[in-house]
Amino acid sequence: GGDAGQWRVVSQSAWIGEGLPAVPFIRIDDQTDNQMGPPRWTLRGFTSNLRYSTRSERSLLDRRSEGLHRSHATCAALIPITKSPQWWAMAQDERRAIYARSEHMAIGADYLPAIARRLHHSRDLGEPFDFLTWFEYPPEASTAFEALVARLRSTEEWDHVIREIDIRLVRC
Amino acid sequence: GGDAGQWRVVSQSAWIGEGLPAVPFIRIDDQTDNQMGPPRWTLRGFTSNLRYSTRSERSLLDRRSEGLHRSHATCAALIPITKSPQWWAMAQDERRAIYARSEHMAIGADYLPAIARRLHHSRDLGEPFDFLTWFEYPPEASTAFEALVARLRSTEEWDHVIREIDIRLVRC
C-alpha cells in the first residue's frame, strides 16, 4: 500500500479490529524490493496446496473458474483476515467441520465465474494477518460481490475471525 | 550445516534423490543471520498448525509426548523430505486418505515418549525440501528409531517421497 500501484483504492475500512493506514494505491509485486519507492505498508503471502477442499469440491470450482487477470474484471477487493488463536489450536478435523458447516466452498462457487478469488497464506511468515484474500470481478458483479461477502461474514467460520480489513479497488 | 553447531554429524546419506554437501556439524538457529561464520548450507522451515491429524489423534500424541530438549535425549536425526508434484496436486481428502492408510500417526505414537518429533514446513518458503523432520531420542532408543524410520519408509505415503536425506547427530 502506497503512492503508486496497479490498483487504485476506492474504499478502505477496518471491518473487525485494528485498521491499516489509509493508502491511495495497492501495488502487487512478486518481490518485496522494487524500484518504485517505499510503500506505506507491505503485506506478504504465498499461494499453497489445498488445505480443506476435497477433490469433488475442487473439481466443481475448477470447472466454473476463469481465473484472475481477465481484462473486463476491473474491480478487486483485498480482504486481509486474522483468525483467533483458538481456531489455530484446533485439529484439522475440527477446522474442516466448521468450514463445511459454513458452506464456505459452496458460497464461493455460487458466484463463479464472475467473482474470481485467490487465497494467499501469511500466518506462517509471521505476518500480522493469517490470510490475504483477493477477489477480481467486473463492475456489473459489484452487487453480487456484496452478497458474497455478507454471506461469508454471517457464517460460523467468521465467528473465529478477529481482524478483517476490507479494501476495494479499481484497476488503473 | 557447517563447521560449528550444537549437534555433531555422525552420518549423512542421500536416501532418495540428490544429497547435500557433507558437513561436520548442524547448527539450529531461530534467525538465519548469525555471528558464527557462514554455513555450508542452510535449510529453513516453520512450525505450523496441524495439517492432517484429528483431535482424537492429537490428544493421543499429546498425552504420550514429552517434547524436545530432554537432557537424556542426546541423539537426533534431521531428515529433510520432498514429496512429488502429484502429491501436492491432490486435494486435502486425497492426501489425508493416504496419510490415514499409511498409519503415519499411529507409527509415530508407537515410539512415544522415547522418540520426540517436530515437523517444520519448508515448501511454502520456496525451499528445496518440503519438510524438515526432526527427531530426538536417548541412545538406548537407537534401535527403536531404526524401526520407526523403516516402518514409515515402507508406507504408501512414502511412495510420494522423491527426495530424502538422512542425517544422524549427537549433541555436543
Side-chain angles (χ1 to χ4, degrees), chain A residues 29-162:
Chain A
D29 282 320
D30 284 341
Q31 304 293 328
T32 51
D33 53 354
N34 58 68
Q35 309 300 317
M36 296 179 69
R40 185 86 185 267
W41 42 256
T42 300
L43 303 176
R44 300 179 310 144
F46 53 81
T47 57
S48 188
N49 57 292
L50 304 175
R51 301 290 170 85
Y52 297 106
S53 50
T54 63
R55 172 54 54 197
S56 60
E57 290 169 344
R58 174 52 43 177
S59 297
L60 170 66
L61 295 181
D62 286 347
R63 273 198 308 278
R64 293 194 192 171
S65 294
E66 294 177 351
L68 299 181
H69 311 304
R70 296 166 298 173
S71 60
H72 69 290
T74 56
C75 298
L78 171 62
I79 304 185
I81 285 171
T82 302
K83 286 180 171 169
S84 67
Q86 292 76 18
W87 172 267
W88 292 112
M90 291 185 203
Q92 176 71 19
D93 59 333
E94 297 170 311
R95 282 181 278 106
R96 162 72 200 180
I98 294 172
Y99 175 91
R101 281 198 300 269
S102 298
E103 302 188 310
H104 186 133
M105 197 282 309
I107 292 172
D110 278 350
Y111 299 90
L112 288 173
I115 301 173
R117 178 172 179 275
R118 187 159 70 185
L119 179 64
H120 307 85
H121 299 264
S122 293
R123 178 171 184 266
D124 290 323
L125 300 176
E127 290 278 299
F129 295 98
D130 294 339
F131 302 103
L132 308 177
T133 63
W134 177 259
F135 303 86
E136 286 181 13
Y137 51 93
E140 58 269 27
S142 295
T143 303
F145 184 72
E146 298 306 326
L148 165 60
V149 292
R151 287 177 65 186
L152 284 172
R153 285 170 176 158
S154 71
T155 62
E156 176 186 355
E157 186 181 348
W158 242 252
D159 293 342
H160 300 275
V161 174
I162 60 171

